[in-house]
Amino acid sequence: MSTEQHPSLVQNESVPALAVAAEPSDDGTELDRYAPSPELLAHIESFDNRFVDRELSWLRFNERVLELAEDESLPLLERTRFLAIFTSNLDEFFMVRVAGLKRRIATGLAVRAASGLMPLEVLRAIWTRADELSQRHAATFQMQIIPALRDEGIEIVRWADLERDEQKFCKKLFKERVYPVLTPLAVDPAHPFPYISGLSLNLAVLIRNPKAGKEHFARVKVPSNFERFVSLGNARFVPLEDVIGAHLGRLFPGMEVLEVHTFRVTRNEDLEVEEDDAENLLAALEKELLRRKFGPPVRLEVEESISPSVLELLTSELDVREEEVFRLPGPLDLRGLHSIADQPRDDLKYPSFVPTTHPWLAEVESAAPVDVFKAIRRRDVLVHHPYDSFATSVQRFIEQAAADPHVLAIKQTLYRTSGDSPIIDALIDAAEAGKQVLVLVEIKARFDEQANIRWARKLEQAGCHVVYGLVGLKTHCKLAMVVRDEPEGIRRYTHIGTGNYNPKTSRMYEDLGLLTTDVTIGEDVAHLFNNLSGWSRKATYEQLLVAPDSVRSGLVDQIHGEIEHHRAGRPAGIRIKANSIVDEPVIDALYLASCEGVPVELLVRGISALRPGVPGLSENVKVRSVLGRFLEHSRIFSFEGGGEPVTWIGSADMMHRNLDRRVEVLVRLPDQSRDEVRRLLDLAFASTTQAWELGSDAHWTRNSGEEHLQETLIERQRRRRLNS
């Protein structure tokens, strides 16, 4: 859809002039300060549809994931994995975003979104678009992936396709392992309709008593502690529900099985912990986690072969609307395709990739690990994961700090980490060695709450000081600080990153991290930890922007500064890399910059509520998206600065929750690290780099770039390893 089909996006009048006000400085001279005229602000605000709806933009993001599964140029098992990722993404979208929309509508808090749509309008659009994508997802699996896998000797078959010996194998498996786990639940006057847990796969079974001739309904839950696809040997697999469905006679002896249909319910699984409960946050959160299991349904997936009578029973008992029913070809719940994608077929996967140690952290003269503190004292180190190893940089930094007798204290934030985290072990070792250890654990990290509660208690038992941040705010920033006693005096070593302290996801998530001994940065981080653990309320910092106080205002000021530079004829330009750009004040500031002629380039992995290329509004804005084998996760904010470039990295996305309801940190990079990041952005925004381009109609189009950002960076890393 072009802008010509969006009359409300096209303005015929010329853009109003920009007013510039002059303010006297302390020494009496005038400072050029950006001040948009009321006419210019009114002009921008006259574009009623200047914001794309965030929920619909998210669905377009998941469509890009689906396009990767459809891309025949990608390795087959990677395409299979993208199908599983699409499923997981859509599940979480319904559990959180759709559930939130329904909750606002039900409680009467429905207000018009910045996109101009009411929540019910958004919900209806979601149902339509999500169903279309779900059908396309199922068709990709049935019509493309299954035949392609078969051609490569990997078969996913249904029960009717099994050989006799395979059926015998499944019969034995069912009898010895599956049958003892199953619990058939009947529905009759003595047995109310059973509770159906969220995302569980279930069989709806219609049976008949041959003597009485009476029909009954029963539900059988497919156990989740078995592989989703049963291996038959020789790279052949059958869905677990097919094995159960073929042996229902053992569950209902003496009864006739008339119909068997699979179904799956998605429930509201977002958490709500009242601030009044903050004094006993762990207890309040554990109570809410129990309540999560009983959230209201927000989606019902059924096999398209389901009979009208069984479907009517399910929708009635689950209180699901017709629009929330998704009829799909089986099998349902393709998250299990991860196990298929894990098959030992390297010829059907991305070429193997092993992160390497950053050159400035690599020891060339000895087999012993490098002294991280000595390396950081020599120069700041900017690590880029997964290309630079997390284990030999950030993890080693914490581990050496725990073992170093000169280290007096370690302070760290933990938002998400892995189940067997060496970071946790190192912090425990440090506390047990008598070091002061402060750990800020965010126990409200969505879907990791239970694990974080467990780690918080384990850390407390080891003697760590564990705090849970500020009331009403999630602590999302990624900070670690080591205080070391050295001959010259106390020195702070600081790590500020864009990603979690998670060794497992660091191999899949693209992130940046700065390791530095910069005194000003160290003092800023020390003050921030005091804010988070005590009663300090320092809101301004020298080298940091900290949400909710200063990230939005700081970035808007930087954008306004680029407008000033452009008007003065100095170099001006804005480049931002983020997971999502939704915040209206930031977007409007970018529109202002575009109206003034400042070039703006945005690299957005997920949601973009900004419309680029709209005449009179955003002709100078380009938005692109890169998806691939790694999840693009780093956040970068780069400004030309009139010839003195400024670049920030950190944890904050341009979303309301990040800027208003979370503790987020951006750090201004020192010159050398800044230049490294600017070269990375040059590659990301190059016309030869493959990406999706966003149009003014809010649709994404894949370009024909010859280079892929991630593969280019992998190749650079390989050359670096060969030359080391």
Side-chain angles (χ1 to χ4, degrees):
M1 193 180 297
S2 67
T3 53
E4 285 73 25
Q5 294 169 285
H6 281 277
S8 62
L9 291 180
V10 181
Q11 305 290 315
N12 295 321
E13 66 270 25
S14 61
V15 178
L18 184 76
V20 177
E23 291 183 356
S25 68
D26 293 339
D27 60 4
T29 60
E30 288 190 346
L31 295 174
D32 198 24
R33 298 293 296 168
Y34 171 80
S37 68
E39 292 79 14
L40 180 56
L41 291 174
H43 169 77
I44 289 174
E45 292 169 358
S46 70
F47 290 83
D48 294 335
N49 292 342
R50 70 187 187 277
F51 300 117
V52 177
D53 186 82
R54 62 155 292 162
E55 316 302 351
L56 301 182
S57 180
W58 185 93
L59 286 173
R60 292 189 180 104
F61 153 67
N62 213 26
E63 182 178 17
R64 299 197 294 280
V65 175
L66 181 55
E67 287 182 28
L68 291 174
E70 297 168 335
D71 186 347
E72 295 182 1
S73 71
L74 295 183
L76 180 56
L77 290 181
E78 305 299 345
R79 295 172 63 195
T80 304
R81 192 179 304 282
F82 281 122
L83 285 180
I85 293 170
F86 174 94
T87 302
S88 299
N89 285 350
L90 198 59
D91 287 346
E92 183 170 339
F93 177 71
F94 271 87
M95 287 189 295
V96 178
R97 301 305 308 175
V98 175
L101 278 171
K102 289 191 67 177
R103 186 169 58 243
R104 289 198 293 277
I105 293 169
T107 56
L109 299 177
V111 296
R112 195 174 298 278
S115 63
L117 298 175
M118 292 296 290
L120 187 56
E121 293 176 293
V122 176
L123 199 54
R124 287 170 177 159
I126 288 172
W127 286 329
T128 300
R129 189 70 183 123
D131 185 58
E132 293 170 352
L133 290 175
S134 296
Q135 296 292 343
R136 180 173 155 189
H137 175 254
T140 301
F141 178 56
Q142 297 287 344
M143 308 303 294
Q144 296 183 37
I145 300 302
I146 286 181
L149 287 171
R150 185 187 307 120
D151 291 344
E152 294 291 346
I154 302 172
E155 295 186 82
I156 300 175
V157 296
R158 306 308 296 264
W159 182 261
D161 303 318
L162 299 188
E163 304 291 341
R164 181 181 294 273
D165 59 336
E166 292 173 332
Q167 290 188 356
K168 289 177 64 177
F169 167 80
C170 289
K171 181 178 181 179
K172 184 173 186 291
L173 174 71
F174 178 85
K175 179 181 178 181
E176 295 180 355
R177 295 186 54 78
V178 180
Y179 174 71
V181 178
L182 300 179
T183 303
L185 297 173
V187 176
D188 59 27
H191 301 86
F193 191 86
Y195 175 77
I196 309 297
S197 55
L199 300 186
S200 64
L201 192 62
N202 303 272
L203 298 181
V205 185
L206 193 64
I207 55 178
R208 180 169 59 202
N209 186 326
K211 293 183 179 180
K214 188 174 182 179
E215 295 182 358
H216 302 276
F217 175 85
R219 172 260 192 159
V220 178
K221 180 177 179 178
V222 177
S224 59
N225 48 359
F226 287 83
E227 285 290 347
R228 173 74 183 81
F229 293 95
V230 176
S231 174
L232 303 168
N234 298 320
R236 279 169 60 87
F237 302 87
V238 63
L240 179 59
E241 66 269 25
D242 282 19
V243 175
I244 297 171
H247 296 90
L248 288 174
R250 288 185 60 87
L251 285 175
F252 304 100
M255 305 293 281
E256 298 177 44
V257 178
L258 303 178
E259 298 179 28
V260 183
H261 311 283
T262 54
F263 71 96
R264 184 171 180 255
V265 176
T266 310
R267 294 185 176 276
N268 177 349
E269 297 205 15
D270 203 11
L271 288 176
E272 294 180 275
V273 179
E274 298 295 332
E275 289 189 18
D276 291 344
D277 293 327
E279 286 190 11
N280 195 3
L281 191 54
L282 261 68
L285 191 58
E286 287 178 314
K287 181 179 179 182
E288 188 65 22
L289 284 169
L290 291 174
R291 193 181 306 153
R292 170 189 272 177
K293 299 179 181 180
F294 301 95
V298 293
R299 179 180 57 164
L300 172 63
E301 297 169 280
V302 298
E303 268 195 297
E304 58 188 2
S305 59
I306 195 168
S307 66
S309 60
V310 174
L311 179 57
E312 182 180 0
L313 174 66
L314 291 176
T315 56
S316 174
E317 293 289 349
L318 292 168
D319 193 21
V320 171
R321 300 173 52 146
E322 181 180 348
E323 299 92 336
E324 297 172 308
V325 177
F326 289 69
R327 293 172 174 263
L328 301 168
L332 305 179
D333 188 8
L334 294 184
R335 293 175 301 170
L337 288 176
H338 280 296
S339 65
I340 304 297
D342 288 337
Q343 291 303 298
R345 288 289 301 272
D346 291 344
D347 57 317
L348 302 179
K349 299 179 181 180
Y350 288 124
S352 61
F353 167 75
V354 179
T356 58
T357 300
H358 190 287
W360 294 344
L361 297 176
E363 185 63 68
V364 295
E365 298 176 357
S366 168
V370 70
D371 182 332
V372 175
F373 301 114
K374 183 178 179 180
I376 301 172
R377 283 198 301 274
R378 282 196 293 260
R379 58 170 69 87
D380 295 333
V381 179
L382 183 76
V383 286
H384 190 194
H385 312 302
Y387 313 101
D388 295 321
S389 168
F390 180 88
T392 59
S393 56
V394 181
Q395 180 181 317
R396 182 175 290 170
F397 172 58
I398 301 299
E399 289 175 334
Q400 287 192 358
D404 188 336
H406 300 292
V407 167
L408 305 177
I410 303 173
K411 300 184 179 185
Q412 184 164 5
T413 62
L414 286 179
Y415 190 74
R416 302 183 198 274
T417 190
S418 59
D420 53 351
S421 172
I423 299 282
I424 297 287
D425 293 339
L427 293 172
I428 290 173
D429 290 344
E432 292 177 344
K435 295 175 171 59
Q436 294 294 311
V437 179
L438 171 71
V439 188
L440 198 147
V441 180
E442 180 48 75
I443 58 174
K444 301 187 295 297
R446 182 176 289 146
F447 303 124
D448 276 341
E449 300 93 348
Q450 198 67 57
N452 285 6
I453 289 172
R454 210 165 43 243
W455 290 126
R457 288 183 169 150
K458 185 175 181 180
L459 288 163
E460 283 179 327
Q461 290 168 0
C464 299
H465 301 295
V466 179
V467 295
Y468 306 110
L470 304 176
V471 173
L473 299 175
K474 278 188 180 180
T475 304
H476 189 247
C477 52
K478 326 298 181 183
L479 304 173
M481 185 178 72
V482 172
V483 180
R484 194 167 186 267
D485 189 6
E486 298 180 353
E488 301 82 7
I490 298 294
R491 192 191 302 267
R492 296 185 181 98
Y493 295 79
T494 307
H495 173 266
I496 303 177
T498 68
N500 299 310
Y501 292 102
N502 189 322
K504 290 185 177 178
T505 60
S506 70
R507 296 194 289 267
M508 299 175 286
Y509 284 28
E510 178 272 343
D511 273 303
L512 292 163
L514 175 69
L515 289 159
T516 182
T517 59
D518 183 281
V519 173
T520 305
I521 292 175
E523 289 179 351
D524 280 351
V525 172
H527 284 305
L528 180 54
F529 271 114
N530 289 342
N531 284 356
L532 296 173
S533 64
W535 290 106
S536 174
R537 196 66 188 96
K538 180 181 174 66
T540 58
Y541 302 86
E542 294 292 324
Q543 297 293 322
L544 304 182
L545 296 177
V546 180
D549 293 314
S550 62
V551 170
R552 179 188 285 114
S553 60
L555 291 176
V556 168
D557 283 348
Q558 292 268 199
I559 294 168
H560 289 175
E562 294 306 299
I563 296 174
E564 292 181 29
H565 291 310
H566 180 77
R567 287 179 60 81
R570 296 186 291 268
I574 300 166
R575 285 177 166 179
I576 295 176
K577 180 180 183 293
N579 291 276
S580 298
I581 296 183
V582 175
D583 188 69
E584 292 86 11
V586 171
I587 291 174
D588 275 346
L590 294 172
Y591 284 148
L592 284 169
S594 173
C595 288
E596 278 295 302
V598 177
V600 178
E601 293 180 297
L602 307 178
L603 187 62
V604 184
R605 176 174 62 88
I607 307 168
S608 174
L610 180 149
R611 290 184 188 269
V614 177
L617 179 69
S618 56
E619 297 105 319
N620 294 303
V621 183
K622 296 180 180 179
V623 183
R624 55 170 39 193
S625 181
V626 170
L627 302 180
R629 68 188 292 178
F630 306 134
L631 187 147
E632 292 289 326
H633 193 248
S634 64
R635 293 87 163 183
I636 304 170
F637 306 87
S638 186
F639 304 91
E640 287 301 316
E644 298 181 2
V646 175
T647 299
W648 306 76
I649 65 168
S651 58
D653 277 309
M654 298 298 96
M655 302 179 75
H656 307 148
R657 71 184 187 195
N658 298 86
L659 303 182
D660 296 323
R661 302 191 299 276
R662 290 185 174 185
V663 178
E664 305 277 12
V665 170
L666 304 183
V667 61
R668 179 170 173 164
L669 292 178
D671 291 352
Q672 191 167 21
S673 298
R674 176 202 66 202
D675 293 342
E676 289 183 56
V677 171
R678 284 169 60 83
R679 287 192 292 271
L680 171 64
L681 293 177
D682 287 341
L683 176 60
F685 288 111
S687 60
T688 54
T689 296
Q690 187 182 116
W692 281 264
E693 310 283 351
L694 182 62
S696 59
D697 58 359
H699 285 76
W700 295 83
T701 304
R702 201 170 184 181
N703 67 19
S704 55
E706 297 177 357
E707 278 192 291
H708 193 284
L709 175 64
Q710 296 177 356
E711 296 304 320
T712 300
L713 293 173
I714 287 174
E715 184 56 34
R716 288 183 181 180
Q717 182 255 27
R718 285 176 176 149
R719 289 199 300 268
R720 186 180 78 187
R721 181 172 55 192
L722 290 174
N723 294 331
S724 62

